[in-house]
Coordinates of all heavy atoms in Angstrom, one line a residue:
R67 N -1.3 -36.5 11.1 CA -0.5 -35.3 11.5 C 0.1 -34.6 10.3 O 0.0 -33.3 10.2 CB 0.5 -35.6 12.5 CG 1.3 -34.5 13.1 CD 2.3 -34.9 14.2 NE 1.6 -35.4 15.4 CZ 1.5 -36.7 15.7 NH1 2.2 -37.6 15.0 NH2 0.9 -37.0 16.8
F99 N -6.6 -29.0 16.0 CA -5.3 -29.2 16.7 C -5.5 -28.8 18.2 O -4.9 -29.4 19.1 CB -4.2 -28.4 16.1 CG -2.9 -28.5 16.8 CD1 -2.2 -29.7 16.8 CD2 -2.4 -27.4 17.4 CE1 -1.0 -29.8 17.4 CE2 -1.1 -27.5 18.1 CZ -0.4 -28.7 18.1
P184 N 8.8 -24.1 20.5 CA 7.6 -24.2 21.4 C 7.9 -25.1 22.6 O 8.7 -26.0 22.6 CB 6.6 -24.9 20.4 CG 7.1 -24.7 19.1 CD 8.6 -24.6 19.2
F186 N 5.8 -26.9 26.3 CA 4.6 -27.2 26.9 C 4.3 -26.2 28.0 O 5.2 -25.6 28.7 CB 4.7 -28.6 27.6 CG 4.6 -29.7 26.5 CD1 5.6 -30.6 26.4 CD2 3.5 -29.8 25.7 CE1 5.5 -31.6 25.4 CE2 3.4 -30.8 24.8 CZ 4.4 -31.7 24.6
I213 N 0.5 -25.2 24.8 CA 1.8 -25.0 24.1 C 2.0 -23.5 23.9 O 1.1 -22.9 23.3 CB 1.8 -25.8 22.8 CG1 1.8 -27.3 23.1 CG2 3.1 -25.5 22.0 CD1 1.8 -28.1 21.8
R231 N -5.8 -27.1 25.0 CA -6.7 -28.2 24.8 C -7.5 -28.3 26.1 O -7.0 -28.1 27.2 CB -6.0 -29.5 24.5 CG -5.6 -29.6 23.1 CD -5.1 -31.0 22.8 NE -4.7 -31.1 21.4 CZ -4.1 -32.2 20.9 NH1 -3.9 -33.3 21.6 NH2 -3.8 -32.2 19.6
A236 N -7.6 -35.6 24.6 CA -6.2 -36.0 25.0 C -5.3 -34.9 25.1 O -5.4 -33.9 24.3 CB -5.7 -37.1 24.0
P237 N -4.4 -34.8 26.0 CA -3.4 -33.7 26.1 C -2.4 -33.8 24.9 O -2.4 -34.8 24.1 CB -2.7 -34.0 27.4 CG -2.8 -35.4 27.6 CD -4.2 -35.8 27.1
F238 N -1.6 -32.7 24.7 CA -0.7 -32.7 23.7 C 0.4 -33.8 23.9 O 0.7 -34.1 25.0 CB 0.0 -31.3 23.6 CG -0.9 -30.2 23.1 CD1 -1.3 -29.2 24.0 CD2 -1.3 -30.2 21.8 CE1 -2.2 -28.2 23.5 CE2 -2.2 -29.2 21.4 CZ -2.6 -28.2 22.2
E239 N 1.0 -34.2 22.8 CA 2.1 -35.2 22.8 C 3.4 -34.4 22.4 O 3.3 -33.3 21.9 CB 1.8 -36.4 21.9 CG 0.6 -37.1 22.2 CD 0.3 -38.2 21.2 OE1 1.0 -38.3 20.2 OE2 -0.7 -38.9 21.3
A240 N 4.5 -35.2 22.6 CA 5.8 -34.6 22.2 C 5.8 -34.2 20.7 O 6.4 -33.2 20.3 CB 6.9 -35.5 22.6
S241 N 5.2 -35.0 19.9 CA 5.2 -34.7 18.5 C 4.3 -33.5 18.1 O 4.5 -32.9 17.1 CB 4.6 -35.9 17.7 OG 3.3 -36.3 18.1
D242 N 3.4 -33.1 19.0 CA 2.6 -31.9 18.8 C 3.5 -30.6 18.9 O 3.1 -29.6 18.3 CB 1.5 -31.8 19.7 CG 0.4 -32.9 19.5 OD1 0.2 -33.2 18.3 OD2 -0.2 -33.4 20.4
L243 N 4.6 -30.7 19.6 CA 5.5 -29.6 19.6 C 6.0 -29.3 18.2 O 6.2 -28.1 17.8 CB 6.6 -29.8 20.6 CG 6.3 -29.9 22.0 CD1 7.5 -30.2 22.9 CD2 5.7 -28.5 22.5
L244 N 6.3 -30.3 17.4 CA 6.7 -30.2 16.0 C 5.6 -29.5 15.2 O 5.9 -28.7 14.3 CB 7.2 -31.5 15.4 CG 8.3 -32.2 16.1 CD1 8.6 -33.5 15.5 CD2 9.6 -31.3 16.1
V245 N 4.4 -30.0 15.4 CA 3.3 -29.4 14.7 C 3.1 -27.9 15.0 O 3.0 -27.0 14.1 CB 2.0 -30.1 15.0 CG1 0.8 -29.5 14.3 CG2 2.1 -31.6 14.5
A246 N 3.2 -27.6 16.3 CA 3.1 -26.2 16.7 C 4.2 -25.3 16.1 O 4.0 -24.2 15.7 CB 3.1 -26.1 18.2
A247 N 5.4 -25.9 16.0 CA 6.5 -25.2 15.4 C 6.3 -24.9 14.0 O 6.6 -23.9 13.5 CB 7.8 -26.0 15.6

Side-chain angles (χ1 to χ4, degrees):
R67 184 177 291 109
F99 181 67
F186 285 122
I213 293 178
R231 282 186 180 178
F238 291 111
E239 301 175 358
S241 57
D242 290 326
L243 292 177
L244 299 177
V245 175

